[in-house]
Amino acid sequence: MKLRARILVSSIGLATIGIVLAGVLASVLIKGSLEEQIAKREENHLGLVSSILTDSAIAFPPTVRTHRLLSHIARDLNVRFTLIRNDGVVLFDSEVMTDSLPNLDNHSSRPEIIGARNGKTGFDRRKSSSVGEQFAYAASRITHPSLGSLDSGFVRVALPMDEIDRVATQLLTIVIGSAGIAAMIMIIVSSFVSKKLSAPILSIVKTVDRIRNGDLRARITEQYPSEVGELAAAVNNMTEKLASDKATLEKLERVRSEFLGNVSHELRTPIFSLQGFLETLLDGALDDPTVNRSFLEKAHRHAERLSTLLNDLIEISRIESGEMKMSFRYVPAVEFLESIMEEIKPVADNKNIAFSLALEFDRSAKVYADKARLRQVMINLIDNALKYTEPGGHVVCRARPIRNQCEILVEDTGCGIPDEHLSRIFERFYRVDKDRSREVGGTGLGLAIAKHIVEAHGGLLTVRSKAGEGSTFSFTLKR
């Protein structure tokens, strides 16, 4: 009996150690796999960030507005990026204000910068001395006029590593906890469990190894009893989470890449136009009275469009990052809509478009809203309606009660929206007719901003439209 007990205890000990080791191995392998994915993401981000920072329209040190815009882009990408001169002086950091840059240490001795000097991508992982967080760093060479000479500086991106450590720790905690429970159960059900325990553990390790090799579709399909079954379920759940995270990251990468491409394109168009007009004027057209004023007016319009675009970019970044603060109060509905009409009516008259209100409220009715933000939504919707309605048409702003809410509608007799575009009309930079949108002065962000503001009010901005028959945008507010 003593020998059997010793064998049983030894089996239990070995099995428990096996479970713990399998968990540690799984944690290390999965952590290594995630770190490899981080390294690939860093190389992709280096290319994206380099394309942004090397734009000739961006100078360093940047203006406050440019710093704010670049910092918002960094937050959208969940990445910190830095521009470093060849001598190690930091010219820009998305996490550090411009006036604090002189306080940063010289970066010439950083491992990732040393690695990048050889023309390759340099990597390192450490705790940041400026923000106190653990980061994975990657750096490569970059060319920019602000660096003083060609091919003499570096761009560096940094990705936070807390999530990887948390996932690895969580997996290790689950495995170790399951190992303890398994040991107690094995004592109760004798040596039979110890004999059966090795098979499921080996199966779990094989599955984890497949996961480490990037097969996030791998699952433990066998049904195991007791704690081993819980461990298998935990690994399956963890794999589901990793697969979901990977899919989310890939989707975010596509969205961010598309967003950066759109931003670059939208900024480049007015900048190139401004450069063209100004170069023509400097080449002699400034002294030609037949064209100089026309060129200056065109340049001014493009400058205004660029300013509007930057303001809209900052606005939507503030909204999506949660920085936009709302100030809700009860607003007289009729008085508010009448003030909007007084402001817009001259514009409509000038375009020979009939603009009217259809209100089903008495003057005492109020809505619960942020007045300034609600005005921004209304101006955007009515302005769009006027832009896409031909002379002789009409636009109606309608307000009516629906239970304890107020429904506001903006109806027009304009060109309408084809069915295939309706599901994407509120996306950033999405345009049904790109040429006409730019011709009438749109930035492609107005409806996205309006959608976010309406959702912040607890409502939903919707559209009903048919090509050639006009459009109706509507949303509800609390009363």
Side-chain angles (χ1 to χ4, degrees):
M1 290 297 291
K2 289 182 180 181
L3 179 60
R4 182 177 179 182
R6 289 176 182 175
I7 294 174
L8 178 59
V9 170
S10 298
S11 300
I12 293 172
L14 289 173
T16 303
I17 292 172
I19 296 174
V20 174
L21 290 177
V24 173
L25 176 62
S27 176
V28 170
L29 294 179
I30 291 177
K31 185 176 181 180
S33 176
L34 290 175
E35 288 181 342
E36 289 177 5
Q37 294 181 32
I38 286 290
K40 292 179 181 178
R41 286 181 59 201
E42 283 186 311
E43 290 186 329
N44 292 335
H45 283 325
L46 272 175
L48 292 174
V49 171
S50 295
S51 68
I52 295 172
L53 296 183
T54 53
D55 194 310
S56 61
I58 300 177
F60 293 94
T63 63
V64 174
R65 175 174 288 183
T66 303
H67 187 285
R68 189 180 302 161
L69 174 61
L70 292 175
S71 296
H72 279 307
I73 292 174
R75 292 191 193 101
D76 283 346
L77 291 172
N78 192 27
V79 66
R80 175 186 180 186
F81 54 83
T82 310
L83 183 67
I84 303 165
R85 213 164 57 195
N86 191 51
D87 59 3
V89 174
V90 177
L91 296 179
F92 171 78
D93 191 301
S94 60
E95 293 294 327
V96 179
M97 295 304 296
T98 303
D99 55 2
S100 299
L101 290 176
N103 300 327
L104 295 180
D105 295 335
N106 189 286
H107 281 41
S108 59
S109 62
R110 301 295 164 88
E112 66 276 10
I113 301 301
I114 294 174
R117 288 189 186 277
N118 299 323
K120 300 179 180 179
T121 302
F123 294 94
D124 191 31
R125 175 179 174 176
R126 64 179 181 274
K127 189 174 184 180
S128 169
S129 59
S130 57
V131 298
E133 296 179 10
Q134 193 80 6
F135 284 96
Y137 294 92
S140 63
R141 281 200 172 276
I142 187 174
T143 299
H144 191 278
S146 298
L147 297 173
S149 62
L150 294 178
D151 202 26
S152 60
F154 306 91
V155 63
R156 185 184 73 180
V157 299
L159 291 175
M161 300 294 290
D162 294 342
E163 181 64 17
I164 290 181
D165 294 334
R166 188 190 66 78
V167 170
T169 301
Q170 182 180 358
L171 178 61
L172 185 59
T173 301
I174 292 173
V175 173
I176 292 176
S178 299
I181 297 174
M184 290 186 291
I185 297 297
M186 282 187 286
I187 292 174
I188 298 174
V189 298
S190 76
S191 61
F192 176 77
V193 175
S194 65
K195 294 178 182 178
K196 296 291 184 181
L197 190 59
S198 59
I201 294 301
L202 288 174
S203 175
I204 292 173
V205 171
K206 289 179 181 179
T207 303
V208 170
D209 189 56
R210 290 174 60 192
I211 295 170
R212 181 193 68 84
N213 290 325
D215 183 8
L216 296 182
R217 294 174 299 179
R219 297 292 185 274
I220 301 170
T221 57
E222 294 84 352
Q223 297 295 319
Y224 297 120
S226 166
E227 291 75 16
V228 181
E230 293 179 8
L231 176 59
V235 173
N236 283 340
N237 290 337
M238 184 63 65
T239 308
E240 290 283 354
K241 184 178 184 301
L242 289 172
S244 176
D245 289 346
K246 181 181 178 182
T248 301
L249 286 172
E250 291 174 347
K251 181 179 179 181
L252 285 174
E253 286 296 333
R254 290 194 298 270
V255 171
R256 288 167 181 166
S257 297
E258 182 180 349
F259 177 70
L260 286 176
N262 285 329
V263 169
S264 299
H265 178 73
E266 294 294 336
L267 289 173
R268 189 178 294 114
T269 300
I271 289 173
F272 283 175
S273 297
L274 279 169
Q275 288 176 332
F277 288 128
L278 294 176
E279 287 173 1
T280 304
L281 289 169
L282 291 173
D283 288 342
L286 185 62
D287 300 321
D288 185 348
T290 61
V291 298
N292 56 11
R293 183 174 182 84
S294 173
F295 274 37
L296 285 171
E297 289 175 347
K298 290 177 180 178
H300 182 255
R301 284 198 299 272
H302 281 286
E304 286 185 328
R305 179 166 179 259
L306 182 60
S307 176
T308 301
L309 177 60
L310 288 174
N311 287 335
D312 282 354
L313 281 170
I314 292 171
E315 183 79 354
I316 200 165
S317 295
R318 290 180 62 241
I319 292 172
E320 293 184 349
S321 65
E323 293 183 13
M324 184 188 73
K325 304 301 181 185
M326 307 290 285
S327 177
F328 291 97
R329 62 195 64 193
Y330 284 99
V331 178
V334 175
E335 179 183 326
F336 172 76
L337 293 174
E338 287 177 343
S339 68
I340 297 290
M341 182 176 182
E342 290 177 6
E343 182 177 347
I344 298 295
K345 190 69 163 61
V347 179
D349 292 342
N350 188 50
K351 294 183 177 182
N352 192 27
I353 297 173
F355 177 48
S356 60
L357 291 177
L359 306 178
E360 300 179 20
F361 288 101
D362 57 44
R363 302 197 69 84
S364 63
K366 295 183 178 181
V367 292
Y368 190 64
D370 181 316
K371 186 175 181 180
R373 296 297 178 183
L374 180 59
R375 177 184 177 280
Q376 187 176 356
V377 172
M378 295 303 302
I379 293 294
N380 181 279
L381 295 180
I382 296 172
D383 184 57
N384 275 353
L386 294 174
K387 285 177 181 177
Y388 296 98
T389 299
E390 298 294 333
H394 64 267
V395 174
V396 178
C397 178
R398 193 181 305 278
R400 59 194 182 193
I402 298 181
R403 294 180 295 278
N404 63 336
Q405 294 180 317
C406 167
E407 183 181 32
I408 296 179
L409 306 93
V410 176
E411 306 169 352
D412 65 64
T413 59
C415 57
I417 305 168
D419 291 343
E420 63 269 22
H421 297 290
L422 287 175
S423 62
R424 302 189 62 189
I425 198 67
F426 297 108
E427 293 181 13
R428 296 175 296 187
F429 293 114
Y430 189 81
R431 293 183 172 96
V432 176
D433 185 341
K434 295 183 178 180
D435 293 334
R436 180 167 183 183
S437 295
R438 291 195 177 94
E439 180 183 338
V440 298
T443 65
L445 294 172
L447 285 178
I449 293 173
K451 172 179 175 289
H452 282 297
I453 293 175
V454 169
E455 289 175 351
H457 281 73
L460 180 65
L461 182 58
T462 61
V463 58
R464 299 192 307 275
S465 184
K466 193 170 184 180
E469 297 183 11
S471 304
T472 299
F473 287 84
S474 63
F475 61 93
T476 58
L477 296 169
K478 296 177 183 178
R479 288 199 289 157

